Amino acid sequence: MALNRALILLGPPGAGKGTQSKKVAQRCGVPHLSTGDMFRDAVTRDLPLGRIARPIMERGELVPDELVMKMVEERLSRPDCAGGFVFDGFPRTQPQAEQLDKILEARGFGKPQVVDFCVSPDELVKRISGRRVCSVGGEIYNIHEAPPKVPGICDRDGGKLVQRADDQPEVVKERLVAYERQTKPLTEYYRRNGVLDVLDAGAPVEDVSRALEKLVKCS
Ligand code: ADP
Ligand code: AMP
């Protein structure tokens, strides 16, 4: 199984991109590339990149394009990306999207497939406030909608569930502003390129997965 293209899941914070991109990546046998996860990993490991990204993420702002692109290019050069990949949280700005198009072309991939996750603002706030993630394997839970079997413990590996530092209400507000200003315009960019599919992602997880299965075919 492969995908033989880049799949981009676009949408605001809390729309369910991480939840669905893991599933679709597994279904098609390609890597799930979350730039947010990559930055969090760099922060946890106290790498130089993490030291730069940390205060920016804590404010709910976007990491500068040059740093994002360098990290993504390095990741795409690894052999596991040969059959395509699923982006979650990338691209987030117009320059990132334009540079990605060039990288994909240079690597022999055609245009990306882009799916825009649409969710109402009230539902986003509810989803983000209930989000908990496994501190070991990164599994995503929700205390309201998708709770673990034992409160606070990951079903998969027993890791402790934590709330992301940037899921605090004041930071969420800033992240939503960054999305509206810098990322939302990408929907128009991809629509003009003829590669945009719009998905009603306000439905329950299984319904969204089924709708995504219809839109995204593995090859
Ligand atoms: P994103 O990666 O877009 O920020 P996540 O996949 O982390 O979003 O999902 C945000 C929160 O919403 C998580 O707690 C997740 O369990 C929950 N969630 C994801 N999809 C749905 C859905 N369709 N219905 C209800 N809750 C959802
Ligand atoms: P996410 O896990 O996608 O919600 O991302 C968490 C944070 O990481 C964001 O609020 C940004 O600070 C940073 N980040 C992740 N991806 C990008 C990106 N493509 N461009 C800029 N900043 C990013």
Side-chain angles (χ1 to χ4, degrees):
M1 277 291 208
L3 195 58
N4 292 324
R5 62 187 180 279
L7 172 66
I8 295 169
L9 301 190
L10 207 61
K17 304 180 300 295
T19 302
Q20 298 296 337
S21 55
K22 284 175 200 246
K23 289 178 193 282
V24 65
Q26 194 174 25
R27 176 163 64 82
C28 295
V30 296
H32 160 229
L33 307 183
S34 157
T35 43
D37 283 352
M38 292 180 205
F39 284 125
R40 278 185 288 278
D41 182 56
V43 169
T44 305
R45 291 162 59 199
D46 202 22
L47 301 179
L49 176 65
R51 285 189 209 151
I52 299 172
R54 184 183 181 149
I56 300 171
M57 294 168 78
E58 283 175 349
R59 291 196 299 271
E61 295 169 6
L62 295 186
V63 176
D65 290 336
E66 306 77 54
L67 295 178
V68 178
M69 294 314 301
K70 200 165 159 232
M71 182 177 77
V72 168
E73 283 215 68
E74 189 281 318
R75 183 64 188 85
L76 294 185
S77 69
R78 295 196 215 159
D80 65 338
C81 289
F85 29 85
V86 181
F87 281 124
D88 158 15
F90 173 87
R92 257 177 154 102
T93 65
Q94 180 85 18
Q96 289 179 21
E98 288 171 5
Q99 285 178 53
L100 175 64
D101 281 348
K102 290 192 188 128
I103 294 170
L104 292 178
E105 203 185 323
R107 293 198 161 273
F109 292 104
K111 286 184 176 182
Q113 178 179 8
V114 184
V115 180
D116 186 25
F117 277 47
C118 297
V119 178
S120 72
D122 285 354
E123 177 69 12
L124 287 180
V125 169
K126 190 172 147 212
R127 287 186 185 182
I128 293 174
S129 69
R131 171 158 56 190
R132 299 292 182 274
V133 291
C134 176
S135 52
V136 177
E139 195 74 4
I140 303 167
Y141 293 88
N142 191 286
I143 54 171
H144 313 297
E145 300 290 334
K149 292 196 182 86
V150 180
I153 304 290
C154 178
D155 295 346
R156 184 166 287 185
D157 57 25
K160 188 170 174 247
L161 301 189
V162 295
Q163 187 165 27
R164 275 171 48 172
D166 61 355
D167 276 351
Q168 299 303 324
E170 325 79 65
V171 187
V172 170
K173 241 195 279 152
E174 290 306 317
R175 288 165 63 208
L176 291 171
V177 168
Y179 167 77
E180 288 292 328
R181 283 203 190 131
Q182 292 167 277
T183 309
K184 204 173 174 185
L186 293 187
T187 52
E188 211 33 61
Y189 173 77
Y190 286 122
R191 199 190 309 277
R192 275 201 312 274
N193 277 282
V195 295
L196 186 77
D197 287 308
V198 177
L199 182 72
D200 171 12
V205 173
E206 293 313 319
D207 295 358
V208 178
S209 296
R210 265 194 294 277
L212 200 57
E213 271 176 39
K214 285 192 188 145
L215 287 176
V216 180
K217 302 291 176 198
C218 310
S219 49

